[in-house]
Amino acid sequence: MTLRSKTLRTSLAMLMATLTIQQPAVFAASHREAPITALDQKADITDWYTFVSPERADKVIMILNVDPFLEPSNGPNYFPFDPGILYEMKVDNNHDGVPDVTFQIRFKTEIRAPGVFTGFVGNLAGIPAITALDGAGSEGFNLRQSYTVTMVTKAGSQELTAGMNTYAVPANVGPKTMPDYNGLRAQGVYSLGQGVRVFAGTVADPFYIDLGGFFDSVNLRKAAGGGVLPAMAEGDDQHNYAPNSLAGFDVNTIALEVPISMLTSDGKVHAAGDKEAVIGTYGTTSRHKTTVMGDAGAETWAQVQRLGNPLINEAIIGTGSKDKFSMDDPINDAQFANFVLDPLAAKILGSIGVPVAPAPRTDLLLLVQYAAPICPGCGAGDAGPVADLLRLNTGIRPTAFTQQKRLGFLAGDLSGFPNGRRLGDDVFDIALRAVAGILVDGKKYGTPLGDGVNTGTAPLQPSFPFMAPAYSGRDSVHAGPGQPGCAYYESGICPSL
């Protein structure tokens, strides 16, 4: 380890320590990243987020986004969740890589008017506009989905939605059918008791990236620096300098707001310097196993995908191992360690002239073990097994919504990725720089890599569930090269080259 790396890590640790003293109270990420989820889109987890709520600092937000690239006008049934999938949010709170708290979400579909040709109709043929998820105003809500949330711990399971009717918010069909879509969406936030809130439904995809530029063999736009951001773009968290490939597309989401005390190992809220403050999280989707002779139970499941840190499977794991990675558990991730310790992505960056740190890349282990700076209270014996979990120090106070920085931890915003992950964190730019070696030597390997897409297209919201409402099916458009969407330029047109 170089002197500069030691200095950087020491600085981060000191920053963490300072924060603790001041507050005593307390690489597309994964859109179709594996062959199996390229075939099973409904089970594809696009992104997994975990962060301390900027709205309520004693709560953790967990968001599971699934089913990518939903075209808002794609009727008549739009985008229901799959009732055949078990959606789960998992939390490891004792650093052994095994979930201790799990939230299971199941959906049920109801066809309320079997003779009607579309799932949603309003202001037509005597059917009133859709203004409610239930009761008066919901007559045209033909294809409706309800869901349950069950918390599973070592003590047993508890259905948090027992006795309630909880409905998924549908896609935004258009202003005639749903004249007050934001009001309709607001009805989809439910308080479940014990301080838990939930939202499920269709939203504007918050992720942002120049997918076309990256996957064309890293052919990023020259107008945006060709992969190395000019100073203007590097310091700009508000404007895009290249087209956002997710602009205009929806995604399905499940968002949970949970008290920190329900997630830690001892049921308490800890300061940032306590190792008990740090949890590891990931999301999964599973389908029923095929029934065979001798199978022990009818409710047995096969995992289709999991997601902890963004871009691990997409940008680090080799294609021949992606399905195996998706279907295995984090506790078994030691078998994939060589992908992390000697990442191909670093070699690719080196091949195009970017200075990269040499293997073995032990600096990247902070993503897959409990260690400083995310866990300053962890000693050598607390690292736990190599496991791809999104680690969050719940003792770090959240940055105010308007003050968050897209580069998160790298920009001194300690409540951002890789300390958990917020909706606005620019994980593509952060991951590129981490792969290059910015944690080894911030000067030698700190090239300002990036795609020039610095913010999402639909503005995030300051309150739960934080994501923007779904795009209008009648009136929305996509953005791309040669089209509007890059406000930095006087014309607002995104560059093609």
Side-chain angles (χ1 to χ4, degrees), residues 121-123 128-134 136-138 141 169-188 199 202 461 469-473 475:
V121 62
N123 273 324
I130 299 175
T131 58
L133 299 179
D134 194 25
S138 72
F141 194 179
V169 174
N172 182 358
V173 173
K176 180 179 179 180
T177 307
M178 300 173 177
D180 181 14
Y181 183 76
N182 288 346
L184 184 68
R185 163 188 151 105
Q187 298 171 40
F199 173 92
T202 304
Q461 307 295 300
Y471 293 101
S472 169
D475 298 326

Side-chain angles (χ1 to χ4, degrees), residues 177-239:
T177 307
M178 300 173 177
D180 181 14
Y181 183 76
N182 288 346
L184 184 68
R185 163 188 151 105
Q187 298 171 40
V189 176
Y190 296 97
S191 296
L192 306 184
Q194 304 181 57
V196 178
R197 290 196 293 177
V198 64
F199 173 92
T202 304
V203 296
D205 194 333
F207 191 60
Y208 54 92
I209 190 173
D210 182 2
L211 273 178
F214 181 71
F215 282 119
D216 183 25
S217 301
V218 197
N219 187 16
L220 295 170
R221 317 288 165 180
K222 293 180 181 177
V228 179
L229 298 183
M232 178 66 76
E234 171 69 359
D236 187 348
D237 287 3
Q238 306 300 321
H239 301 99

Side-chain angles (χ1 to χ4, degrees), residues 6-317:
K6 290 180 179 177
T7 302
L8 177 60
R9 290 200 170 211
T10 301
S11 298
L12 290 170
M14 290 177 64
L15 205 53
M16 292 283 291
T18 302
L19 189 78
T20 304
I21 293 171
Q22 290 173 338
Q23 299 159 21
V26 279
F27 301 172
S30 299
H31 297 59
R32 301 184 182 182
E33 86 282 15
I36 189 173
T37 46
L39 298 174
D40 191 353
Q41 176 166 326
K42 302 302 288 186
D44 184 5
I45 302 172
T46 66
D47 292 278
W48 168 248
Y49 304 89
T50 306
F51 52 93
V52 177
S53 172
E55 188 181 31
R56 304 179 182 191
D58 62 337
K59 307 284 182 70
V60 164
I61 306 297
M62 293 186 289
I63 296 175
L64 183 71
N65 283 356
V66 297
D67 203 355
F69 292 106
L70 302 179
E71 158 55 42
S73 65
N74 195 4
N77 297 308
Y78 295 87
F79 322 115
F81 290 89
D82 189 337
I85 292 177
L86 172 65
Y87 303 87
E88 294 183 288
M89 302 177 175
K90 301 184 177 183
V91 180
D92 166 34
N93 60 24
N94 60 5
H95 303 181
D96 64 357
V98 178
D100 302 289
V101 183
T102 298
F103 297 91
Q104 299 180 330
I105 300 94
R106 298 288 308 275
F107 290 85
K108 182 185 296 183
T109 301
E110 171 188 13
I111 304 298
R112 305 171 72 200
V116 176
F117 74 96
T118 180
F120 311 92
V121 62
N123 273 324
L124 184 68
I127 301 175
I130 299 175
T131 58
L133 299 179
D134 194 25
S138 72
E139 292 85 349
F141 194 179
N142 184 13
L143 193 163
R144 186 169 70 173
Q145 289 195 299
S146 58
Y147 63 94
T148 60
V149 180
T150 301
M151 184 173 71
V152 181
T153 67
K154 294 173 183 174
S157 64
Q158 175 187 11
E159 185 188 333
L160 302 180
T161 46
M164 300 179 63
N165 293 319
T166 45
Y167 299 106
V169 174
N172 182 358
V173 173
K176 180 179 179 180
T177 307
M178 300 173 177
D180 181 14
Y181 183 76
N182 288 346
L184 184 68
R185 163 188 151 105
Q187 298 171 40
V189 176
Y190 296 97
S191 296
L192 306 184
Q194 304 181 57
V196 178
R197 290 196 293 177
V198 64
F199 173 92
T202 304
V203 296
D205 194 333
F207 191 60
Y208 54 92
I209 190 173
D210 182 2
L211 273 178
F214 181 71
F215 282 119
D216 183 25
S217 301
V218 197
N219 187 16
L220 295 170
R221 317 288 165 180
K222 293 180 181 177
V228 179
L229 298 183
M232 178 66 76
E234 171 69 359
D236 187 348
D237 287 3
Q238 306 300 321
H239 301 99
N240 287 334
Y241 296 72
N244 173 21
S245 302
L246 277 302
F249 286 101
D250 287 331
V251 71
N252 277 344
T253 191
I254 305 167
L256 267 182
E257 179 186 75
V258 184
I260 292 173
S261 59
M262 289 179 68
L263 302 178
T264 55
S265 59
D266 57 3
K268 298 178 181 178
V269 177
H270 288 272
D274 296 343
K275 65 181 181 181
E276 293 84 0
V278 182
I279 58 176
T281 73
Y282 66 109
T284 65
T285 53
S286 302
R287 290 189 179 278
H288 279 293
K289 285 184 177 179
T290 301
T291 300
V292 295
M293 294 293 290
D295 203 326
E299 282 284 285
T300 55
W301 299 87
Q303 183 173 297
V304 178
Q305 195 194 13
R306 58 161 162 137
L307 187 59
N309 283 292
L311 301 167
I312 290 285
N313 201 10
E314 179 139 343
I316 300 294
I317 305 298

Side-chain angles (χ1 to χ4, degrees), residues 387-438:
D388 177 26
L389 305 172
L390 183 60
R391 287 160 175 83
L392 173 69
N393 189 322
T394 60
I396 294 181
R397 295 281 297 180
T399 303
F401 180 76
T402 56
Q403 302 299 314
Q404 295 177 3
K405 298 180 179 179
R406 69 181 178 88
L407 294 178
F409 221 98
L410 295 183
D413 179 359
L414 302 186
S415 65
F417 181 74
N419 178 33
R421 181 190 175 191
R422 302 170 301 196
L423 293 159
D425 289 341
D426 193 343
V427 295
F428 179 75
D429 287 12
I430 297 170
L432 275 181
R433 299 174 196 203
V435 167
I438 195 170

